[in-house]
Amino acid sequence: MALPAADESLWLRRFHPRPNAAVRLVCLPHAGGAASSYAPLSALLPPSVQALAVQYPGRQDRRHDTPLESVHELAQAVFEALRPSAGQGPLALFGHSMGASVGFEVARLLEDELGVVPAVLFASGRPAPSLHRSLGIHRMDDAGIIAELQAVSGTDDRVLDNAELLRLTLPSLRSDYKAAETYRYRPGPKLACDIVGLTGDGDNRVSIEEVAAWKEHTAGSFTLQVFPGGHFYLQEQKAAVAGVLTDTLRAATRTGHPLH
């Protein structure tokens, strides 16, 4: 299918502009998630880290754009948005759940097509690319998808209790779940960039071992960070995660600009 235009203004959101940032952190949402899901985390990052939250088509201010149903298509579109400025200073990637798979494929494109090695890939709440799992959620009826949202506690109750909001949200949700569940790893070289795996110790959708398996996909270093909480541990552990991101980026970029 034809991809929508991939200019930065369409795909990337700066909730807290930081013109003197030493590193850009591209944040990729989970299935059904929007750029705004990263606004609280962006607020907790230091002035030297510029968060760029990705807005997938089919939600919020892009609700009239056709959702994409493939991780590879999403990654290609995000890559095209990043391409013009990819070599202009350190760049890191943070993806949660489906967003981690998208981030992995964006990192591959950056390294393979531009020779740009991300400072770090933060892979959160998602099995390693080579481990495939599908619950068949994208093939469920609307009630089944809503039940899944309730099970993982990642959606605002105000959405779940509002029939009109649900009606507007379900098409992009279904497309995202299809992208996540039909994603298949394509064998290739390991990433040159470091990877940090993050997960909640009570995640009922992803095991700690499945997140630890990300170490097989980097020729650089791998670190595993486990936080209290479930699949959406990030909602309660924002400050702790922001601390890990800041410390890791300070060590990885070594730009001479303190991240404080």
Side-chain angles (χ1 to χ4, degrees), residues 31 71 98 126 132-133 175-183:
V71 163
M98 180 188 77
R126 180 75 167 166
H132 174 68
R133 176 196 286 179
S175 293
D176 284 359
Y177 274 119
K178 182 176 181 180
E181 295 185 320
T182 60
Y183 170 68

Side-chain angles (χ1 to χ4, degrees), residues 29-73:
H30 57 279
S36 60
S37 65
Y38 283 113
L41 180 63
S42 172
L44 293 171
L45 293 172
S48 294
V49 179
Q50 174 64 73
L52 300 174
V54 171
Q55 188 74 299
Y56 302 141
R59 63 220 69 201
Q60 292 185 337
D61 57 343
R62 298 194 64 190
R63 62 187 178 279
H64 298 302
D65 295 341
T66 303
L68 299 179
E69 298 183 340
S70 160
V71 163
H72 292 286
E73 288 181 330

Side-chain angles (χ1 to χ4, degrees), residues 76-107:
Q76 185 69 46
V78 173
F79 168 70
E80 295 299 337
L82 294 172
R83 183 196 287 269
S85 62
Q88 299 174 12
L91 179 72
L93 301 160
F94 182 102
H96 180 66
S97 200
M98 180 188 77
S101 298
V102 178
F104 174 74
E105 294 298 338
V106 172

